[in-house]
Amino acid sequence: MKIPPLQVYHILLYTLFILCFLCFLLLLFLHIFFPIKGDLVTTLANPLLRCRLHILVLIPYMEVGGADQFNFNFLYRMVEKGWEVTIVCDKTANNVLYSMFSRLTPDIFVMPRFLPSSDQPRFIAYIIESRKPDLVFISNSERAYHYLPYLRAFAPEATIVDYVHSETPDWKSGGYARYSAAEEPWLDRSLFASKHLEEYVIDLGHNPNKTSTVYIGVDSQRFQRNEVSRKAIRSKLNLSDDTLLIVYIARLESEKGPDVFAQTVQLLHKDGLNFMAVSIGGGSLYDELNNTIVKHGLTQKVKLLGTTPYEEVLHWISAADVSFLPSKVEGISLALMEAMSTGVTCVAARVGGQPELITDEVGFLVVPGSPYEAEQYAEILAGLIRDPAKARALGQASKQRILDHFDSVNTITNLQKEFCLASKVHHHSKHLFNNVGMQRMGIEYASLSIEYERTSDELLSIWRELQFTQSKISMQSNTGKALAAKHAPATFNGKDITPETLLPTIKFDTLRSVTNIMDERLVDRSMKINLRGYDEQYMRPRPRCIIDNFNYNEFLGRYNLGVDSWEPEVPFRYTQDNYIAELTNVYLSPGDSGTVFDWDRAFPLELGVIPMFKRPVEWQKTCVVEKYSKLATIVQLHSSYAHFLSHHLPRLGMLWDLVQSDPEINILVPFMGNSVVDDVLVDLLNITKSRLVYYRYGEGWNPCKTYFAEKLYLPNPAVTDNPSRELLERMYQMVAPALRDRCRPREQAIVYMSREDARSRKVINEQEFLDQLQETFPNEHIVRWSYEKSFLGTVCLMHRARIVIGMHGQTMAPIVFASNKTSVIELLHSRPWLHYWNVATAKQMDYWMVPIMEASHESQSITLPIDKLIKTVEEVLKKKQQNANKHDEY
C-alpha cells in the first residue's frame, strides 16, 4: 500500500520531535548528575601517580609558634607512618621554618609567591584534583575556612578535617574556634587541643557528633633532661644547685603576658630571693621588656635571649627548675608540655585547656586578670625558691603525667582513628555537595571571601595609619606643644628647629620599631620603595668531602648558621624583597650598625626574627650632627674585612645605578682602619673619594657623629653570614666591567691563600704542600697569594682562579670576586664559621672541605693533611674535566 506524501512528512516530523525530546532529557540528566565545571574551576586535572596514603595540609604560613611546631611534629610522625604530604600556605610571610618542613616533603606551595588571592580557591581545588589526597587537614588557616563551600562543591571527593588550637575571644568573636563552628556543615570532623576548647565550640553551635579532643602531645623520648647541658648552662651563669632557674618561653606579645612576667620578677628581686630568670623568644614587645628590665635594675637577675634556635631552647629547658607562662590566652601550651616532659615544674595561667595539663599534683595555675596577679605568681615562685626539693618533686610528677597522658605516640594513634571516622562521615555525605546548586553557592561564597580579604587588607593600612596618628597625638599631648613641634620633621625651619636641636629631645626608649619596611609603607605614604627583585629560597649542596660516611652534624655542628641538620641539600631560608627605600629627614646613629631613626620611629628591620640593626641609645644624643642633602648607606652590623666584601659591597650593588646617575649622592661606608674600602670604591669602581662618608663603628670617637639626611637611600640588609644569591650577583655585575678593563688575560691558576702573616691558625707545612701540589700537577699554574699582594692584583687573581684553596679565615674573603666556575677548597677546623660556604654556594661555586679534626679556631698553628688535600684537588680537577667533556659532547 502506498503511503501518501503528506503522511510520510508527518511521520518524519514526529520522529524528529521525539528524538529531540530524548536528547533534551539526556542532556538534562547529564547536567544534573554530571555537571560541567564553570570558568572559576576550570583546571588541568594532571593526575599524579599515588604510591601511599596522602594528606594535604592547609596552613597560613611556616613561622615560629606553637601551632606551627605542632604542624611540623604531626607531619613528621605522619611521614614516619608512610604518608605522603602536600603543604599549601595562603598568607604572605617570611616562612622561616620552610627549611624544616621541606625535609618532610618537596610538595610545598606558598601561594602568595605566585598567585593572586582571587586564584587561591581554584588552585587548592586543582591540588585536590591532581593529588587526590585521602585527607585535607586545616590548621589555623582563616582562608581555608572561607573557601570550604567552594572546595566542597568542586572537590567533593575530599575528606576535610580541621584542628583548632585555641579560642581567641578578642579576635573575630572567637577566632578559629568560631570559624570551626560556623563552617561545621562543610567539615567531616573537627578536632580540638583540649576538652575545654571542644565544649567552647559546641556552645557556639558546632555539631557535637562531629567533634573530638586530641591532645597535641610531645615526644617523651626526645624531651628528657640533659645533665651535660644543665651543668654547662648553670656553670656559665654561675648558678649554684640551690638557685632556682626560671624560664619564660614565649613570643613577646601581649597575649603571652610579658608585663606580668616583668612585674613578677621585680617582686622576687625586691624580696632578695635567690633566683635567675631567662626569657626566650622574640616579638614586638622585646624592646619594651628589655627597657623595663634595665629601668628596674634587673639585668643581673633576668636575661633576655630573644629568638633562639629550637635545639638551644631544649638545652635551657634542661637547665631550668621552673617554666613560667602567665598567658592571657592559651589552648594547651606546647612549651609547657615540653618542659614537663623534661621534668620541669610549671607555673602558668588558668586559661583555655591548661587545667587539663597542669593539675594541682604537678604544678600551679593562677586566674589571670586580677589586680594581684603578679603577687600571686610571686608568692608561688617564692615558695619554690625557698624549697627547691619541692620544685624537683613536682618536676618528676610532671614528667610522669606527660608519659601517662600526653605522649605524641598516643596523639598520632588518636588522630588516625579520628581520620577514619571523618572518612565514614564523608562517604555518607559527599553526594549532598555534588550538584549545580552547591557549585553556584560555592562560587558566590568564594567570591565574597576574596572580596572580604581584599577589603580587610586595604582597611588594615587605614587602621595602622589611625594608630600612628593616635600615638602622634598622644605624644603631643604628653610632651607639650613646643616639644611636639620639634618632633615633627615637617617643621624644620633652619633656625630654632633644626636636626641639631631636635636630636636631644627624642625619647629613644619610646621609638616605634619598624621591623618590616613593606608594612611601614602602609603607614608612611611619603616613603618610596623601589623593588629590585626577590631572594627566592633555593637548595644548597652541603660541603663536599672525600671521606666516606663523614659525620657532618658532629664536625660542622647542628644549627651552625641556622642549618638544623646537614642533609645532602640545605635550604637557604632567608627570603626577602630586594629594595631601595627612600626616606626623608632621618638620622643614622653611631655605634654598631648605623641604624636609621627619626622623631617617632627606629628601623632595626628584621628578616624572619633576626634584627638587622641595633636601636639607638642615650649617649648618641650628645654626638655632632653631620648633615647631607642626599645620602646612601651600605653600613650594617659587623665591619670585618670579610663582611665588607660579602655584605656591605653587595648592598652597594643594589644602589649602583642610582649612585652612578646622581653624583650629588654621598655614600656612607664603613671605616675599616686600612685601605680596603678605598681600594674597592675609589681605585676599582672609580667613585670620587669626596663622595665617601666614613662610618666609625663603636664608642669613644672624638667627636662622635650622628648623620642626618634630608633624603636617605636605604637598601635592604644582607643577613649576617648568609649573603643572598641576588645581592652577590648584583655586586659581581657592578665589578665585572672593571675586571674586564683592568685585568690582563692570563692563564687560569690554582690559588693557595696563605696565612703566613695571620695571628692564629698558621700553617706550618705550607711550603711542603705547595711543592707536592706542583709535583703532583706539573701542568697546573699554581699561585701563592698573601696579604702583600695589591688589591687589584688580588681581584684579578680571583677572576682567573680555577681552584681557590685556603685555611678557614678572612684570607678566603676575596672569593666573592671569583666566577661561578671557580671551585673552592676550604680547610676547616671543628665547628667552623661557615661564612665562605654560604658565599660559595650563593655564587653557585663548587665547594669542598678538608676537615682537620684536631684543630680549633683558637689553634696557633695547624698542620695540613697533605694527602687528603692532594686527593681533594685531584677529585675537583677530575670533576672539572668530566664537565668539560660533557660540554664538548653537547
Side-chain angles (χ1 to χ4, degrees), residues 603-779:
F603 290 77
L605 300 182
E606 290 182 1
L607 193 54
V609 291
I610 304 173
M612 299 287 101
F613 300 91
K614 292 186 178 180
R615 287 172 61 89
V617 293
E618 286 299 311
W619 67 265
Q620 296 167 0
K621 290 183 181 180
T622 63
C623 296
V624 173
V625 177
E626 193 167 282
K627 295 180 287 188
Y628 295 90
S629 59
K630 295 180 182 179
L631 185 66
T633 177
I634 63 172
V635 170
Q636 66 175 71
L637 275 171
H638 306 298
S639 60
S640 69
Y641 175 64
H643 284 110
F644 172 69
L645 295 184
S646 58
H647 291 70
H648 299 80
L649 202 55
R651 298 184 79 207
L652 181 61
M654 292 290 296
L655 294 160
W656 189 238
D657 293 342
L658 184 66
V659 168
Q660 284 188 302
S661 63
D662 189 347
E664 294 182 2
I665 297 176
N666 290 94
I667 309 167
L668 190 67
V669 299
F671 176 76
M672 303 291 296
N674 54 34
S675 63
V676 64
V677 174
D678 288 355
D679 287 342
V680 177
L681 303 186
V682 179
D683 297 342
L684 186 64
L685 298 177
N686 292 322
I687 297 176
T688 305
K689 186 176 176 64
S690 61
R691 296 179 66 185
L692 303 183
V693 180
Y694 295 92
Y695 180 89
R696 297 174 183 267
Y697 283 84
E699 300 181 42
W701 297 101
N702 186 18
C704 68
K705 294 181 181 180
T706 294
Y707 302 94
F708 179 84
E710 294 176 10
K711 179 174 283 188
L712 176 74
Y713 299 97
L714 176 68
N716 58 282
V719 183
T720 303
D721 301 323
N722 284 272
S724 74
R725 180 171 291 176
E726 175 81 13
L727 285 176
L728 287 172
E729 177 59 28
R730 285 184 177 275
M731 185 212 69
Y732 192 75
Q733 291 174 3
M734 175 179 68
V735 301
L739 298 180
R740 288 193 297 268
D741 294 343
R742 305 189 63 180
C743 296
R744 291 178 297 172
R746 297 182 66 180
E747 64 179 311
Q748 289 188 317
I750 296 177
V751 181
Y752 172 74
M753 312 298 283
S754 172
R755 287 185 62 84
E756 183 180 36
D757 299 322
R759 295 180 180 178
S760 63
R761 302 190 302 284
K762 290 186 178 181
V763 178
I764 60 177
N765 60 338
E766 184 177 282
Q767 191 57 50
E768 181 185 352
F769 161 67
L770 290 172
D771 292 342
Q772 192 164 334
L773 183 67
Q774 188 67 76
E775 182 181 341
T776 308
F777 306 104
N779 296 325

Side-chain angles (χ1 to χ4, degrees), residues 29 38 108 157 167 276 339 390 514 638 707 720 795 831:
F29 173 81
I108 300 177
E157 297 300 320
E167 80 273 18
M276 171 70 76
K390 182 178 181 180
V514 177
H638 306 298
Y707 302 94
T720 303
V795 172
R831 305 298 173 99

Side-chain angles (χ1 to χ4, degrees), residues 484-550:
K486 292 180 182 179
H487 274 70
T491 63
F492 284 128
N493 57 22
K495 297 178 181 178
D496 55 326
I497 303 175
T498 65
E500 292 88 346
T501 59
L502 176 64
L503 180 61
T505 69
I506 297 176
K507 293 187 175 182
F508 286 157
D509 58 345
T510 64
L511 292 180
R512 180 170 52 86
S513 287
V514 177
T515 58
N516 187 311
I517 209 157
M518 297 302 176
D519 290 342
E520 184 64 13
R521 182 174 53 174
L522 302 176
V523 176
D524 183 1
R525 295 186 177 179
S526 67
M527 179 174 63
K528 296 180 181 179
I529 295 183
N530 300 313
L531 291 175
R532 298 296 180 94
Y534 183 77
D535 286 324
E536 290 283 355
Q537 194 159 59
Y538 59 89
M539 301 303 291
R540 302 171 288 180
R542 70 185 177 192
R544 302 177 189 273
C545 181
I546 62 168
I547 301 174
D548 294 332
N549 302 317
F550 186 72

Side-chain angles (χ1 to χ4, degrees), residues 193-211:
S194 69
K195 288 286 186 184
H196 159 84
L197 183 57
E198 182 181 0
E199 293 167 2
Y200 176 89
V201 176
I202 290 174
D203 288 342
L204 291 176
H206 204 299
N207 182 352
N209 296 316
K210 294 168 68 175
T211 66

